[in-house]
Amino acid sequence: YGVATLDDATSIRQAVVDEKPRRAVVLGGGYIGVEMAEMLLERGLAVTVVLADPLPLALLDEDMGERVCAAMTSMGIEVVTCAPVKEVETADGRVRRVVTEAGGYDADIVVLGLGVRPDADLGRDAGLEAGDSGGLVVDERQACLFQDQVWAAGDCTETTHRLTGKRLSIALGTHANRQGRIAGTNIGGGTATFPGVLGTAITKVGDCEIGRTGLSSREIEKAGFTAESTTVESSTRAGYYPGAASIVTKLLHERDTGRLLGAQIVGGPGSAKRIDVFAAALWNQMTVADIAGMDLSYAPPFSPTMDPVTITARKAARA
């Protein structure tokens, strides 16, 4: 089963109800892969997640990905890393086993979470320009390059990263929705522009929440920035308040200027949406010192006196 539409998800749910599979293998450890693993586990299946990469959620830094992997393992999900798939064996028209370079894994159902690439064949066949990522090249109005009466938006297009200025393809519903509104406004005679992206995203697997925005350490090195990293473990609520959970916050900032370049969060319930504070700071080119001085809210049910956002930024500003 692939997972690209709501109907795909409905088909998987129906198969679990009707066929009562006992063993599931999920191929891929991106957003879709970890979410599908959680869903199948909650429905009583033994779940194995098979990755070609060393860790799930490859857009995270290694130390943060290790925390996600540990959370998945503690839930009872088997995580197999560095194991490219060679074959999915079938018998009587049904999957029976996934064979990888690291061994074989029995399966009654296999779910694909292998990522996406731009489906721009219609545009390319019509003579529209495509970029290195395979997505159609559009301007800030979502008009196609050299064809200003042809418009494109969403996963079939390239967009500009606000930090690097590079064009890339990021398949996120938030971007697609906003780009569609820009294109629609301009088709209707308006004057709207799309300002680029930071790649802000959140997900969860079990009680482990994950958020990221901006650049990872690998992306920072590739872009040629010189950066420092700061990681702090804190609490989602005041420590004495019931339900407080651990939250690990990592900031990446430019060494000379202190400008924030990226942020990642892994923690318990109440963690992930804090990434939006960092996304807003990135959008406005703030430094870690600026973030440390922000007037953030406090009440024991929601955060310690000093929020993890503030604590990490203060530590980074002193670095």
Side-chain angles (χ1 to χ4, degrees):
Y1 293 87
V3 191
T5 68
L6 291 175
D7 287 343
D8 292 338
T10 300
S11 296
I12 295 171
R13 181 175 62 187
Q14 200 61 48
V16 169
V17 171
D18 293 343
E19 300 167 18
K20 298 179 173 55
R22 295 183 296 110
R23 299 161 301 184
V25 173
V26 178
L27 304 184
Y31 302 124
I32 295 297
V34 298
E35 290 167 6
M36 293 305 299
E38 176 186 358
M39 179 276 290
L40 292 164
L41 185 73
E42 287 182 348
R43 283 157 178 77
L45 281 74
V47 179
T48 300
V49 175
V50 175
L51 313 174
D53 295 319
L55 289 165
L57 296 177
L59 288 174
L60 297 177
D61 285 353
E62 182 177 340
D63 54 337
M64 301 298 272
E66 287 173 348
R67 294 178 182 276
V68 176
C69 191
M72 294 171 68
T73 301
S74 70
M75 292 170 58
I77 297 171
E78 181 183 13
V79 182
V80 180
T81 62
C82 300
V85 174
K86 298 171 62 177
E87 182 184 6
V88 177
E89 295 179 349
T90 62
D92 302 322
R94 303 188 60 80
V95 296
R96 297 302 183 197
R97 186 173 173 82
V98 172
V99 181
T100 77
E101 293 182 0
Y105 303 90
D106 294 339
D108 303 312
I109 185 171
V110 174
V111 177
L112 307 180
L114 299 175
V116 298
R117 59 174 180 238
D119 183 2
D121 289 347
L122 176 65
R124 281 194 297 266
D125 292 346
L128 300 177
E129 187 81 13
D132 293 339
S133 73
L136 298 177
V137 180
V138 295
D139 64 18
E140 69 276 5
R141 302 175 304 123
Q142 299 299 135
C144 291
L145 190 66
F146 308 127
Q147 297 287 344
D148 62 2
Q149 293 302 305
V150 181
W151 310 81
D155 296 353
C156 67
T157 66
E158 289 190 334
T159 189
T160 301
H161 199 289
R162 285 178 65 90
L163 295 177
T164 65
K166 303 292 186 181
R167 302 196 65 84
L168 73 168
S169 176
I170 301 181
L172 289 171
T174 48
H175 301 164
N177 186 288
R178 289 163 53 214
Q179 289 169 349
R181 293 178 66 87
I182 298 298
T185 297
N186 291 321
I187 290 169
T191 55
T193 58
F194 186 73
V197 301
L198 294 171
T200 308
I202 62 172
T203 188
K204 66 179 283 292
V205 54
D207 288 334
C208 179
E209 298 184 359
I210 305 109
R212 58 96 59 201
T213 188
L215 303 175
S216 67
S217 294
R218 293 182 298 276
E219 292 167 330
I220 286 172
E221 183 178 357
K222 185 176 180 180
F225 293 111
T226 303
E228 302 282 353
S229 70
T230 304
T231 304
V232 171
E233 184 167 3
S234 183
S235 176
T236 56
R237 299 175 173 180
Y240 55 81
Y241 195 90
S246 173
I247 173 174
V248 178
T249 307
K250 182 173 186 176
L251 299 188
L252 299 157
H253 69 274
E254 198 168 29
R255 180 176 298 165
D256 294 336
T257 67
R259 179 174 63 126
L260 184 65
L261 295 174
Q264 300 169 30
I265 292 174
V266 176
S271 296
K273 282 296 283 182
R274 282 179 163 94
I275 203 68
D276 288 341
V277 177
F278 294 121
L282 274 170
W283 197 264
N284 291 284
Q285 301 181 1
M286 296 174 66
T287 67
V288 288
D290 292 332
I291 301 167
M294 291 172 63
D295 184 9
L296 302 183
S297 60
Y298 158 69
F302 305 105
S303 77
T305 308
M306 300 299 291
D307 191 85
V309 169
T310 305
I311 296 171
T312 312
R314 287 176 61 181
K315 183 176 179 182
R318 292 198 302 268

